[in-house]
């Protein structure tokens, strides 16, 4: 509790430097808007004489205690041309003065979502990239990761080309061995999953629940200084996903697509004639094993995959409220037979402003049901191994499919492949996932101190995932292994809840030049998960398939219940002096239940600076750079995305192969695991140097970054000396890892005014990145 009190005290002390004089009756108030779109502009610095203020999210400002007289009312915002007008005030008078501003560097004026707030793109001092819906990848998009593939430098998105299948996202390389290297994913302020990654799913991609058509933007916090506000979960970077809200008026939307996918290139394999020639030449003693068929096994398991996607939405907005309701249906086959994903999704988004726009309430809800059919394991590998001279069908076999008989004719040949078509048609692997993510946020601007706002956020992420696989006893692989038919069922569930509150003060401070944006708050996260499963081998009958439970030779019932908590106190300050010198610093104090009592708490600070050289007087005459900014940062982040309870010994009930004999009685054992009670955080120290630039009258934007990430206290399971710890392995901290690399991103945009013709808009993006990953030190006997 002591660090928390210190932090809150420091925050209040910082806020107290703001003069808390009683409001004078003489004041100027108004609204600042974009001259083209008419939308309100936040963060505009408004000055009249010696008084200055900053606009809120609705574009409104109030300057109180102004001196009577005439002076120029000036408005300044990065990315916009300065605006102003003469205003005269008399004592005791309230003057309303609205201004409009014209954007002159769109890329600098864009609002970018960051952790616990927003910033203008031109003011950001970290390596942050936002991809909006206008820049998303198009075509067949099943999962959100596909929207930003190849759009962000240093971000690698790899999938297995299976609809609903697994995606791997790496931001600046892997930082761990045992713990997750997936980034933290935050959807509308809700951290999904437990720690880094994106949660539970019956399929291989937990983010498959989210309809890509509902996404407005994806912001990638690439460097540690930008991500450090998320502390213990930020070592692998952060993805901030913002969903769509309503537009002005009432709008109806429908988007639909149909697609066909096929394999463009297959591995080069011998056909039946070539295979016969090869056997005759190199293995004449095996000629008697050749068949008379001519089978293309890859052709038997792949297909042209068809898909359809339909999305509906209705939305609306006015000065006080905006809302959006959406629904989507996806049905996508995979290019390998037996693979299909079907998703039904709904979404709701509501924002309401009350009490003269001082209270802003925002609620959002996402829900989906995803049904997945998976190709049973081994289909592709067996298609590559099975001989092309062998037939597909064999009416003499119980399965009706051909299999290698083996030397004894018992179809238990330990070296031969399985018939892939039999696997496809007789085995089943399917799952269904229900998931809902939602939350409510409220922010209130205090009337006694313009610029001070309190925010509250409560959110949840609930998942139920059922998975079932069945392999009949007559399959060649079951006969070979001796399993005699197998059935596996899992009915897993996971719930995560988050409660956060934080203060934000964004306004000039009279005693210090420039503007400040101060944020400080508290976060509490709780996760509860249950992972029961049933596994059976040696089924007494195959008649029920996966539709019922039969008696079996070996049955295992298992129930795993886990809980974890993460408690955090965080703060951040952003400082902007004349849009020329920029500073940002943050700290997060995290406490995780996943570590032992002596290592539960960790501090994760960051600092970054920016120098907009283009604002210097010596750059005024040049015409090449519309904007040029140098950045530098350092930060420490953590990784707690590994198994729970590693600091405690766990006890495992022995099976039939792990019993002690007392006379003629065999007693099952209960074995404790090895444990390191001093296991601690994986901590990553990161350094980043970058350049942001715009050239050719802001038509081309670019960024270059060089970074180094040093991760220490890697968590890994290592062998321990025999006779110690009552186990052969222990999970502990063993060594360090380094990532270093360079990134380049270029974006070109051309907009031809309609006055010159029909109007033409085109964009082009280029990204390149190089990463080197090195395991620096390792102590294989750390747990001994």
């Amino acid at each position: 509790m002591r660090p928390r009190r210190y932090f809150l005290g420091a925050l209040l002390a910082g806020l107290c430097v703001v003069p808390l004089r009683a409001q004078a009756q003489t004041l100027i108030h108004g609204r600042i808007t974009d001259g083209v779109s008419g939308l309100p502009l936040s963060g505009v610095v408004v000055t009249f004489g010696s008084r200055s203020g900053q606009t809120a999210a609705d574009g409104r400002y109030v300057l109180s205690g102004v001196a009577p007289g005439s002076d120029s009312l000036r408005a300044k915002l990065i990315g916009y041309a300065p605006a102003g007008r003469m205003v005269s005030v008399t004592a005791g008078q309230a003057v309303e003065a609205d201004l409009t501003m014209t954007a002159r560097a769109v890329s600098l004026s864009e609002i970018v979502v960051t952790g616990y707030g927003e910033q203008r793109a031109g003011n950001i001092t970290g390596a942050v990239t936002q991809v909006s819906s206008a820049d998303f990848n198009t075509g067949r998009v099943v999962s959100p990761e596909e929207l930003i593939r190849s759009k962000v430098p240093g971000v690698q998105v790899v999938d297995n080309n299976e609809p609903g299948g697994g995606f791997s996202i790496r931001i600046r390389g892997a930082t761990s061995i045992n713990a997750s290297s997936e980034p933290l994913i935050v959807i509308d302020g809700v951290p999904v999953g437990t720690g880094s990654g994106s949660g539970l799913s019956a399929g291989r991609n937990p983010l498959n629940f989210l309809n890509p058509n509902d996404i407005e933007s994806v912001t990638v916090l690439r460097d540690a200084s930008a991500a450090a506000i998320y502390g213990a979960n930020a070592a692998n970077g952060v993805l901030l996903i913002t969903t769509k809200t309503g537009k002005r008026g009432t709008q109806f939307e429908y988007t639909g697509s149909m697609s066909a996918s096929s394999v463009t290139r297959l591995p080069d394999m011998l056909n039946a004639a070539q295979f016969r020639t090869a056997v005759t030449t190199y293995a004449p003693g095996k000629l008697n094993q050749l068949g008379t068929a001519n089978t293309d096994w890859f052709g038997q398991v792949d297909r042209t995959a068809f898909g359809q996607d339909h999305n509906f939405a209705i939305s609306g907005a006015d000065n006080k409220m905006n809302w959006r309701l959406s629904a989507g249906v996806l049905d996508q086959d995979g290019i390998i037979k037996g693979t299909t994903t079907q998703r039904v999704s709904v979404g709701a988004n509501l924002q309401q402003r009350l009490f003269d726009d001082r209270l802003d309430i925002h609620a959002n809800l996402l829900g989906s049901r995803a049904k997945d059919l998976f190709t049973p394991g081994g289909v592709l590998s067996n298609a590559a191994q099975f001989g092309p001279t062998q037939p597909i069908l064999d009416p003499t076999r119980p399965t009706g499919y051909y299999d290698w008989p083996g030397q004894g004719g018992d179809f238990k040949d330990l070296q031969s492949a399985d018939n892939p078509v039999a696997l496809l048609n007789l085995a089943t692997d399917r799952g269904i996932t229900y998931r809902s993510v939602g939350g409510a946020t409220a922010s209130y601007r205090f009337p006694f101190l313009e610029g001070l706002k309190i925010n509250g956020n409560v959110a949840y992420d609930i998942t139920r995932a059922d998975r079932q696989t069945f392999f009949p006893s007559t399959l060649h692989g079951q006969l070979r292994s001796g399993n005699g038919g197998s059935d596996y069922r899992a009915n897993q569930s996971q719930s995560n809840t988050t409660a956060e509150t934080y203060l934000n003060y964004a306004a000039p401070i009279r005693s210090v030049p420039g503007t400040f944006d101060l944020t400080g708050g508290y976060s509490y996260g709780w996760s509860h998960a249950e992972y029961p499963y049933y596994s059976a081998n040696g089924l007494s009958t195959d008649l029920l398939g996966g539709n019922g439970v039969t008696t079996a030779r070996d049955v295992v019932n298992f129930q795993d219940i886990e809980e974890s908590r993460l408690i955090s106190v965080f703060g951040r300050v952003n400082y902007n002096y004349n849009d020329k010198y920029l500073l940002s610093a943050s700290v997060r104090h995290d406490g995780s239940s996943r570590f032992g009592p002596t290592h539960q708490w960790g501090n994760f600070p960051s600092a970054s600076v920016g120098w907009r050289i283009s604002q210097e007087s010596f750059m005024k005459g040049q015409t090449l750079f519309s904007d040029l900014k140098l950045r530098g940062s350092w930060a420490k982040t953590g990784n707690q995305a590994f198994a729970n309870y590693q600091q405690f010994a766990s006890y495992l009930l022995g099976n039939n192969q792990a019993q002690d004999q007392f006379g003629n009685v065999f007693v099952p054992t209960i074995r404790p695991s090895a444990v390191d009670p001093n296991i601690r955080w994986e901590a990553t120290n990161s350094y980043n140097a970058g350049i942001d630039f715009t050239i050719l009258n802001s038509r081309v934007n670019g960024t270059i970054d060089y970074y180094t990430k040093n991760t220490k206290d890697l968590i890994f399971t290592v062998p321990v000396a025999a006779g110690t710890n009552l186990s052969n392995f222990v999970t502990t901290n063993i060594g360090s890892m380094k990532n270093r690399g360079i990134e380049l991103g270029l974006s070109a945009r051309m907009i031809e005014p309609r006055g010159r013709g029909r109007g033409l808009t085109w964009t082009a993006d280029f990204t390149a990145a190089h990463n080197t990953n090195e395991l620096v030190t390792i102590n294989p006997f750390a747990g001994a």
Side-chain angles (χ1 to χ4, degrees):
M1 293 299 294
R2 183 175 299 174
R4 203 175 308 161
R5 291 197 301 268
Y6 288 164
F7 176 81
L8 293 177
L11 175 65
L12 293 176
L15 293 177
C16 285
V17 302
V18 183
L20 299 180
R21 297 178 180 176
Q23 291 186 355
Q25 296 180 355
T26 306
L27 59 86
I28 303 175
H29 65 95
R31 197 163 183 255
I32 311 297
T33 57
D34 185 290
V36 176
S37 66
L39 296 175
L41 297 176
S42 64
V44 180
V45 177
V46 185
T47 305
F48 182 84
S50 62
R51 303 295 291 173
S52 61
Q54 202 166 4
T55 59
D58 59 358
R60 299 185 183 278
Y61 72 93
V62 177
L63 301 180
S64 58
V66 298
S70 297
D71 206 336
S72 176
L73 179 71
R74 302 178 299 278
K76 184 179 179 182
L77 179 64
I78 186 170
Y80 283 82
R85 54 177 285 194
M86 290 299 297
V87 175
S88 298
V89 296
T90 58
Q93 181 185 13
V95 178
E96 182 175 1
D98 296 338
L99 291 174
T100 61
M101 303 183 71
T102 303
R104 62 181 181 184
V106 175
S107 61
L108 302 181
S109 61
E110 290 178 340
I111 293 291
V112 176
V113 177
T114 58
Y116 303 101
E118 298 175 338
Q119 282 186 275
R120 297 281 171 185
N123 290 336
I124 292 177
T125 54
V128 177
T129 301
Q130 179 170 285
V131 183
S132 63
S133 56
D135 300 317
F136 285 158
N137 291 320
T138 57
R140 192 200 74 166
V141 175
V142 176
S143 186
E145 299 95 331
E146 299 175 76
L147 296 172
I148 62 169
R149 189 200 301 267
S150 303
K151 290 286 187 179
V152 183
V155 177
Q156 185 181 26
V157 180
V158 180
D159 72 285
N160 64 358
N161 293 315
E162 179 183 39
F167 269 81
S168 174
I169 303 177
R170 292 292 178 269
I171 300 177
R172 296 184 166 182
T175 59
S176 183
I177 303 176
N178 258 25
S180 173
S181 289
E182 298 293 320
L184 173 69
I185 297 176
V186 181
I187 302 176
D188 288 334
V190 182
V192 297
T194 55
S196 298
S198 48
L200 180 67
S201 174
R204 299 181 179 97
N205 181 16
L207 270 189
N208 192 42
F209 84 97
L210 182 57
N211 184 353
N213 194 67
D214 286 334
I215 297 177
E216 178 64 31
S217 67
V218 178
T219 303
V220 184
L221 309 184
R222 293 183 286 131
D223 77 332
S225 69
I229 194 69
Y230 289 103
N233 291 320
N236 305 316
V238 182
L239 260 65
L240 304 176
I241 298 177
T242 303
T243 58
K244 293 178 179 178
T245 57
K247 307 298 182 183
R248 185 166 293 276
T250 301
Q251 298 184 7
F252 297 88
E253 304 172 42
Y254 166 76
T255 60
S257 66
M258 301 187 71
S259 63
S261 307
S262 61
V263 180
T264 57
R265 187 176 65 178
L266 289 169
D268 292 330
M269 307 294 293
L270 299 179
N271 60 31
Q274 294 168 333
F275 189 75
R276 290 188 182 95
T277 301
V279 173
T280 302
T281 304
Y282 301 106
K286 303 291 186 180
L287 288 173
N288 62 328
Q289 296 185 19
L290 295 177
T292 60
N294 184 5
T295 306
D296 176 9
W297 290 104
F298 277 122
Q300 293 296 319
V301 300
D302 77 341
R303 65 181 174 185
T304 298
F306 296 97
Q308 54 180 322
D309 186 18
H310 304 278
N311 300 283
F312 309 86
I314 179 173
S315 62
D318 55 31
N319 292 331
K320 295 294 183 181
M321 181 177 69
N322 71 66
W323 55 275
R324 185 175 187 269
L325 301 174
S326 64
V329 178
L330 170 73
D331 188 347
Q332 179 65 55
D333 293 333
I335 56 176
I336 303 300
K337 293 178 181 178
T339 304
T340 300
T341 187
Q342 297 175 331
R343 179 183 64 218
V344 177
S345 60
V346 295
N349 215 322
L350 173 66
Q351 185 175 15
Q352 178 74 57
R353 290 178 290 275
L354 303 169
F355 305 122
D356 294 328
D357 295 337
R358 291 193 175 277
L359 177 62
D360 191 340
I361 300 174
H362 188 188
N364 61 283
L365 172 67
L366 297 168
S368 71
R369 185 207 65 186
K371 297 177 67 175
D372 294 294
L373 295 179
F374 304 100
T375 302
V379 167
L380 280 177
S381 60
N382 284 286
Q385 298 177 62
F386 220 86
T389 65
Q390 310 305 321
I392 299 171
L393 303 176
D394 182 357
T396 65
R397 289 280 293 122
T399 61
Y401 295 93
Y402 176 84
D403 280 308
W404 292 99
Q407 295 182 355
D410 55 3
F411 298 94
K412 296 182 181 180
D413 190 335
L414 299 180
Q415 298 180 350
S416 63
D418 301 333
N419 188 320
V421 181
L423 273 173
L424 276 175
N425 295 332
L426 299 180
T428 60
D429 188 353
R430 60 194 179 194
I432 184 169
T433 303
Y434 297 92
R435 189 165 186 179
S436 178
V437 174
T441 62
S443 62
Y444 181 73
R445 292 188 297 110
F446 291 100
F448 58 82
L449 181 60
E450 291 296 332
L452 180 61
K453 181 169 62 175
I454 186 170
N455 305 268
N457 176 32
V458 291
Y460 72 91
D461 175 10
I462 298 176
T463 307
R464 166 65 185 263
D466 299 333
R467 186 75 178 264
Q468 192 264 330
T469 61
F470 170 75
F471 289 83
S473 60
T474 52
L475 280 175
H476 178 259
Q478 298 297 108
L479 294 173
R480 183 178 57 193
S481 65
N483 282 339
S486 62
D487 188 14
Y488 170 83
R489 299 160 190 265
N491 306 106
Q492 302 179 347
S493 63
Q494 189 179 91
S495 62
N496 307 290
T497 55
T498 302
E500 297 172 327
T501 181
Y502 57 97
L503 286 171
N504 174 258
Y505 177 77
I509 296 177
R510 290 181 58 189
S511 59
V512 180
T515 59
F516 284 86
D517 187 339
L518 305 175
T519 300
Y522 171 84
S523 175
Y524 177 87
W526 173 74
S527 174
H528 176 87
E530 299 186 10
Y531 307 116
Y533 74 81
Y534 157 85
S535 177
N537 288 317
L539 303 179
S540 60
T541 178
D542 296 331
L543 293 178
L544 295 179
N547 299 313
V549 177
T550 65
T551 57
R553 181 184 67 246
D554 300 313
V555 176
V556 175
N557 291 288
F558 185 80
Q559 170 78 308
D560 182 22
I561 301 176
E562 298 188 12
E563 287 191 356
S564 64
R565 288 172 173 81
L566 181 68
I567 300 174
S568 311
V569 179
F570 57 89
R572 179 179 59 208
V573 55
N574 295 324
Y575 175 67
N576 180 340
Y577 178 72
N578 204 29
D579 288 339
K580 183 188 301 184
Y581 305 114
L582 308 168
L583 169 68
S584 180
S586 71
V587 63
R588 185 167 178 130
H589 186 60
D590 277 335
S592 173
S593 64
R594 293 181 175 177
F595 299 92
T598 59
H599 297 285
Q600 284 184 330
W601 292 91
N603 296 310
F604 303 98
S606 77
S608 59
V609 295
W611 176 27
R612 296 188 65 223
I613 305 175
S614 55
Q615 292 294 97
E616 296 288 356
S617 57
F618 59 80
M619 293 287 289
K620 296 302 182 182
Q622 60 85 33
T623 57
L624 175 61
F625 292 99
S626 305
D627 187 72
L628 178 63
K629 178 173 64 178
L630 296 182
R631 295 181 282 104
S633 67
W634 167 86
K636 178 183 177 182
T637 52
N639 191 348
Q640 60 132 10
F642 69 103
N644 287 307
Y645 315 125
Q646 295 301 299
Q647 71 273 26
F648 303 116
S650 60
Y651 293 83
L652 179 67
L653 181 65
N655 54 24
N656 294 337
Q657 285 73 44
Q659 296 185 350
D660 286 329
Q661 183 177 2
F662 295 90
N664 295 326
V665 178
F666 291 87
V667 179
T669 60
I670 300 178
R671 305 191 304 276
S673 65
V675 62
D676 177 7
N678 295 314
I679 194 169
R680 55 191 177 272
W681 306 92
E682 287 187 350
T684 299
N685 285 277
S686 302
Y687 302 87
N688 189 94
I691 302 173
D692 296 333
F693 60 89
T694 63
I695 59 177
L696 302 178
N697 198 23
S698 299
R699 290 188 175 93
V700 178
N701 309 316
T703 179
I704 303 174
D705 282 276
Y706 175 80
Y707 64 87
T708 299
K709 297 166 57 176
N710 300 306
T711 303
K712 66 176 184 178
D713 295 328
L714 292 172
I715 296 173
F716 195 59
T717 301
V718 297
V720 295
T724 65
N725 286 287
L726 300 177
S727 178
N728 296 330
F729 297 91
V730 65
T731 300
T732 186
N733 303 99
I734 64 166
S736 61
M737 177 186 294
K738 175 184 287 187
N739 281 274
R740 59 182 181 273
I742 189 168
E743 300 165 347
L744 169 65
L746 292 173
S747 177
R749 177 179 299 178
M750 177 65 72
I751 302 176
E752 180 184 336
R754 291 187 177 273
R756 299 180 183 176
R758 299 178 57 188
L760 173 67
T761 300
W762 59 265
T763 60
D765 298 293
F766 173 81
T767 64
H770 174 76
N771 175 266
T772 300
N773 180 276
E774 177 185 358
L775 190 61
V776 180
T777 60
I778 186 170
N779 178 13
F781 304 105

